[in-house]
Amino acid sequence: MGYDLKMRIWRGDQTGGDLGDYTVAVSEGEVVLDALHRVQATQAGDLAIRWNCKAGKCGSCSAEINGRPRLLCMTRLSDFDPAETITVTPMRTFPVIRDLVTDVSFNYEKAKELPSFAPPPRDADNKRRMAQVDVERGQEFRKCIECFLCQNTCHVVRDHDENKPAFAGPRFFLRYAELDMHPLDTHDRRELAQGAAGLGMCNITKCCTEVCPEGIKITDNAIIPMKERVVDRKFDPLVWLGARIGIRSKDNDGRTEV
């Protein structure tokens, strides 16, 4: 059964803009992206929207719906009262290009700062091996679709542009944790995560976890364990002593120079 939906859509560009009022016919089972496409087709042909798969897997259609960061294609109209006005605005953390399209290049620049996977040499049979439990541990992190909703909702950069140069954000803390927990990775990223990536600036409010469309427990399974690893390396006397003993044993075997 169809009805007329009232919408407020942000229109503008980097120089400024405002909310525009629209009324559009919608049908049962549709999502917010469907309503926006109908507005685009019937009333505002120049409305700019970024989207691709319309299946919640490409991460392209991120925006804010009634102030909450969400995917346009995964937000059902049935979640709202038919009499309610739905307000759609661009992601607030990133610069606006036009209408609902934002410039998310900040995230790609942060990705360049992260050292890639560095595996050890292969075994004698030209293979690498890892336990199944280690494989499963990283599966959750690889569900990320890079919609950047977690980046958008993180108050460290949402309300403070000046923090962006020194803060990578939850999407990349997830990647740091994934690589640091990988049993075959040889690169120690803990110092980099704490320093250049700004891990210490995160105060674990879990807002990133709340908006993740893939249900990844970013805070509990990635950020907090990564913080613990950084603290252990710096301040745990047993970890420090074990590391020193390990280095000395290698010295005695003549395999490592300190």
Side-chain angles (χ1 to χ4, degrees):
M1 182 174 141
Y3 64 95
D4 288 337
L5 172 69
K6 293 181 179 179
M7 302 187 77
R8 302 195 77 202
I9 305 170
W10 196 90
R11 305 296 310 277
D13 54 27
Q14 59 267 34
T15 63
D18 205 352
L19 291 167
D21 294 316
Y22 300 88
T23 301
V24 61
V26 295
S27 303
E28 184 178 359
E30 291 188 324
V31 295
V32 171
L33 184 59
D34 292 318
L36 289 171
H37 280 163
R38 195 162 291 121
V39 168
Q40 193 181 51
T42 61
Q43 301 175 52
D46 61 344
L47 175 63
I49 312 168
R50 179 183 283 134
W51 71 285
N52 190 9
C53 73
K54 200 173 177 286
K57 292 301 176 186
C58 73
S60 299
C61 64
S62 300
E64 297 191 9
I65 302 172
N66 289 356
R68 181 180 177 84
R70 306 179 76 169
L71 292 179
L72 298 172
C73 71
M74 298 301 288
T75 305
R76 294 191 170 276
L77 296 178
S78 58
D79 292 343
F80 307 91
D81 189 291
E84 182 178 356
T85 298
I86 296 179
T87 301
V88 186
T89 55
M91 290 192 287
R92 198 176 94 189
T93 299
F94 308 115
V96 172
I97 296 176
R98 205 181 95 201
D99 299 339
L100 303 179
V101 179
T102 54
D103 179 0
V104 296
S105 58
F106 160 80
N107 300 288
Y108 304 127
E109 294 304 314
K110 290 299 177 183
K112 294 177 184 177
E113 298 174 5
L114 205 163
S116 59
F117 178 63
R122 295 179 182 272
D123 296 338
D125 58 0
N126 203 35
K127 295 181 179 179
R128 295 189 179 100
R129 293 173 173 82
M130 56 189 288
Q132 184 62 33
V133 65
D134 292 320
V135 175
E136 293 169 356
R137 185 176 191 181
Q139 288 299 324
E140 178 188 18
F141 303 150
R142 286 187 280 276
K143 288 164 55 181
C144 176
I145 60 174
E146 294 203 323
C147 61
F148 303 127
L149 290 177
C150 61
Q151 300 283 87
N152 177 56
T153 198
C154 180
H155 65 276
V156 176
V157 288
R158 183 178 176 88
D159 299 318
H160 303 280
D161 275 347
E162 67 274 14
N163 288 336
K164 286 184 177 179
F167 187 75
R171 188 278 169 267
F172 298 103
F173 295 151
L174 187 77
R175 181 63 174 157
Y176 273 98
E178 176 190 348
L179 292 172
D180 198 66
M181 295 176 187
H182 199 295
L184 295 182
D185 187 71
T186 59
H187 194 104
D188 189 345
R189 297 173 181 78
R190 288 174 291 182
E191 186 173 343
L192 184 63
Q194 177 68 11
L199 180 65
M201 298 171 71
C202 170
N203 57 10
I204 56 176
T205 59
K206 296 191 179 184
C207 53
C208 53
T209 298
E210 291 176 4
V211 301
C212 179
E214 286 293 322
I216 303 171
K217 292 182 172 57
I218 303 171
T219 309
D220 291 340
N221 294 348
I223 295 178
I224 292 177
M226 197 64 196
K227 280 177 172 281
E228 290 172 345
R229 286 168 178 253
V230 169
V231 170
D232 283 348
R233 184 173 185 269
K234 280 193 167 187
F235 303 112
D236 189 321
L238 294 179
V239 172
W240 177 87
L241 181 60
R244 296 304 299 172
I245 293 172
I247 290 173
R248 283 174 183 157
S249 67
K250 288 183 180 181
D251 288 346
N252 292 335
D253 290 340
R255 291 178 294 169
T256 304
E257 286 188 20
V258 179

